[in-house]
Amino acid sequence: MAEHLVVEGGTTLEGTIKIQGSKNGALPLLAATLLSDGRCTLSNVPDLKDIRTLLEIMSELGMSVDQRGPNTFSMRVTDETKSTARYELVSQMRASIYVLAPLLAKRGYAKVSLPGGCVIGLRPIDLHLKGLRALGAEIELDHGYVVARAPGGRLKGGRVFLGGPFGSSVGATANTLMAASLADGKSVIEGAACEPEVVELAHFLNRMGATITGIGTPRLVVTGVPSLGGARQSVIPDRIEAGTYMAAAAITGGDVTLEDVRMEHLGAVVDTFEKIGVRIEELDEETIRITRPGPIRPVRVTTLTYPGYPTDIQAQLASLLCLGEGISVVTEKIYPDRFMHLAELNRMGAEVMKEGASAVIKGVKVLKGTDVMASDLRAGAALVLAGLVAEGTTRVHRLYHVDRGYECIEAKLASLGAKIHRVKDAAVTRAA
Ligand code: EPZ
């Protein structure tokens, strides 16, 4: 049964929490294990709906997975006869497209349901297909599926530029990198995404025996190898979850310590939060303390590819700026339509207008609790943040979005003093 979160506004968050392993970091690592002939072990994997969906897809593709502890998975391919990822599973999560390249490169054939768009925009996969075609893949779109073949069973090294209209693509870079690792010869990926999650994937592939250089730069050079072996890796801390709890501390004027944080992944976020008056102290290499000594100051910020300000912390920042002392402008350069949270924030008393790909946010003195709806996981998190400071009660519906990316959000916030709990939706009976 569907659930919602009930948040009583007005508490100041205080205490310490640990940041989960990165959702967007774990997903490509899990998919990459399909390339291996050996056993792979991943630790610090967050316990999330999206991870479970990908594991289910991988089980259907012949992967045998043992869970060894709450966040550790050990896996090995035991059956390579199936190469189809079904619509019913792929439609639950776009990142399922990550199985396309490993299946194609290792098994010579892949049939993966087209993931389609979602509420944050159209989300095409043309760059994924461009990357794979550059490596010799023959691809057709057939009844809603991507059907890809490697002539003679092997891909061939090639050269490709992966920059698109909204910058380089994380997913296309990851898929092309995985495919190139097992292709014959050398590949060069120009305009590659530099996000930490891509960097981690490249390191993991190298641990499996791949030869990738230029890691962390927009030019990746891959010398294909005939096979890849087993490897172990710990998933990096989730920079987006960290940014979300930084915003939670800041919006309530609290004093929160976050453990397991990589500051080097949060440069633009720390810079923006400092501009608006949030203090971030590095207590040690992996621990930060967040306080807000004064009012929230307005800011102009634009989301960009890494190392720019991340789109995945845009909605949470918008909630914070709703209470800023002046007018802020938040511009989306990655997903120009990722603004569904604005109408919900306005229902809570915010004064936000959308102008093209920008949100113009006029700070107000108070937000007021009401029923609001999460449109995607980050929009949902933003509404929870608004609920923490709103007068009265906020109920955030469509909680399944939030559960895709945040491990026990209500337990973490409650441990910091928030008044928040999860409730099952009442069954709706309609009159005939
Ligand atoms: C990843 O999505 C993340 N998902 C997203 O996180 C994140 O918002 C996004 O990167 C940007 O940082 C995962 O890692 C699982 P892209 P991805 O390909 O790889 C366009 C969250 O909240 N594009 O880098 O799908 C695309 O439409 C989520 O956790 C093409 O034009 O994003 C977008 O405008 C949501 N053609 C831009 O590029 C393509 O073939 C960047 O998308 C692919 C993408």
Side-chain angles (χ1 to χ4, degrees):
M1 189 185 276
E3 294 174 320
H4 62 276
L5 276 183
V6 179
V7 192
E8 301 292 340
T11 45
T12 303
L13 300 190
E14 280 174 9
T16 302
I17 50 172
K18 184 177 168 306
I19 294 305
Q20 70 190 28
S22 163
K23 168 181 83 80
N24 292 344
L27 291 167
L29 299 187
L30 286 168
T33 65
L34 286 165
L35 290 163
S36 173
D37 286 326
R39 177 166 287 283
C40 292
T41 305
L42 293 172
S43 53
N44 203 33
V45 178
D47 182 11
L48 298 171
K49 173 80 173 68
D50 275 10
I51 300 290
R52 290 190 285 275
T53 303
L54 184 57
L55 285 171
E56 196 179 340
I57 292 174
M58 291 179 36
S59 298
E60 288 198 1
L61 293 168
M63 176 70 77
S64 142
V65 183
D66 295 331
Q67 185 159 2
R68 302 190 173 165
N71 302 99
T72 302
F73 293 88
S74 173
M75 55 262 288
R76 186 179 193 120
V77 175
T78 49
D79 173 9
E80 290 202 326
T81 55
K82 298 187 202 88
S83 287
T84 300
R86 312 185 267 132
Y87 172 77
E88 291 71 18
L89 290 172
V90 173
S91 59
Q92 291 178 29
M93 181 188 65
R94 281 188 49 89
S96 323
I97 195 71
Y98 278 145
V99 302
L100 177 62
L103 291 177
L104 175 64
K106 184 79 186 351
R107 306 183 188 182
Y109 173 82
K111 184 174 174 188
V112 178
S113 172
L114 273 164
C118 68
V119 76
I120 68 175
L122 278 176
R123 305 191 75 184
I125 59 158
D126 56 314
L127 296 171
H128 298 243
L129 305 187
K130 182 182 179 190
L132 299 177
R133 282 189 172 121
L135 304 182
E138 289 171 358
I139 300 177
E140 54 185 7
L141 302 181
D142 187 26
H143 294 90
Y145 278 78
V146 182
V147 182
R149 285 184 186 78
R154 291 285 291 184
L155 293 172
K156 288 192 185 60
R159 177 178 292 272
V160 66
F161 178 79
L162 286 184
F166 303 100
S168 49
S169 157
V170 171
T173 304
N175 254 333
T176 311
L177 196 54
M178 290 190 274
S181 297
L182 273 190
D184 286 332
K186 181 173 147 184
S187 299
V188 179
I189 306 172
E190 310 267 11
C194 300
E195 270 70 2
E197 296 76 17
V198 175
V199 168
E200 288 303 300
L201 171 66
H203 287 308
F204 185 52
L205 291 167
N206 275 354
R207 287 200 177 122
M208 288 162 68
T211 315
I212 302 166
T213 58
I215 297 175
T217 76
R219 186 172 191 272
L220 296 166
V221 180
V222 189
T223 307
V225 292
S227 64
L228 293 168
R232 295 174 164 267
Q233 188 148 311
S234 178
V235 175
I236 49 170
D238 195 314
R239 62 191 170 104
I240 309 302
E241 196 206 25
T244 303
Y245 286 111
M246 284 164 67
I251 203 168
T252 66
D255 184 347
V256 172
T257 298
L258 302 180
E259 294 175 343
D260 232 351
V261 175
R262 291 267 185 94
M263 274 292 262
E264 72 265 30
H265 295 163
L266 285 163
V269 179
V270 168
D271 183 61
T272 303
F273 277 44
E274 284 179 347
K275 277 188 199 145
I276 65 178
V278 181
R279 182 184 291 159
I280 297 149
E281 292 166 69
E282 247 181 295
L283 300 184
D284 66 40
E285 236 176 66
E286 297 198 332
T287 311
I288 59 172
R289 176 179 175 207
I290 299 104
T291 50
R292 177 168 57 80
I296 299 169
R297 292 196 291 264
V299 75
R300 291 183 82 95
V301 64
T302 300
T303 65
L304 293 167
T305 53
Y306 190 83
Y309 189 91
T311 172
D312 294 345
I313 317 180
Q314 178 259 108
Q316 302 88 316
L317 177 67
S319 290
L320 197 51
L321 296 175
C322 284
L323 294 164
E325 288 195 340
I327 296 179
S328 297
V329 181
V330 178
T331 303
E332 250 300 335
K333 284 277 173 72
I334 309 296
Y335 297 114
D337 294 323
R338 194 177 200 178
F339 282 121
M340 304 295 277
H341 45 285
L342 301 183
E344 299 301 288
L345 288 170
N346 281 348
R347 296 189 61 250
M348 296 178 74
E351 286 191 26
V352 189
M353 279 185 336
K354 185 171 168 294
E355 286 191 359
S358 296
V360 180
I361 304 172
K362 183 167 171 242
V364 295
K365 293 243 174 312
V366 286
L367 293 174
K368 296 191 176 156
T370 185
D371 288 87
V372 285
M373 219 175 264
S375 49
D376 80 82
L377 70 166
R378 310 304 172 191
L383 296 172
V384 173
L385 299 188
L388 291 173
V389 278
E391 281 178 357
T393 307
T394 302
R395 282 169 294 274
V396 181
H397 298 274
R398 301 203 177 158
L399 195 51
Y400 55 87
H401 285 298
V402 180
D403 289 335
R404 291 183 49 199
Y406 292 92
E407 255 181 7
C408 12
I409 191 168
E410 74 277 22
K412 280 188 169 174
L413 287 171
S415 78
L416 297 174
K419 290 189 183 144
I420 183 167
H421 62 281
R422 182 181 289 258
V423 174
K424 291 210 184 306
D425 291 350
V428 181
T429 25
R430 292 184 201 283

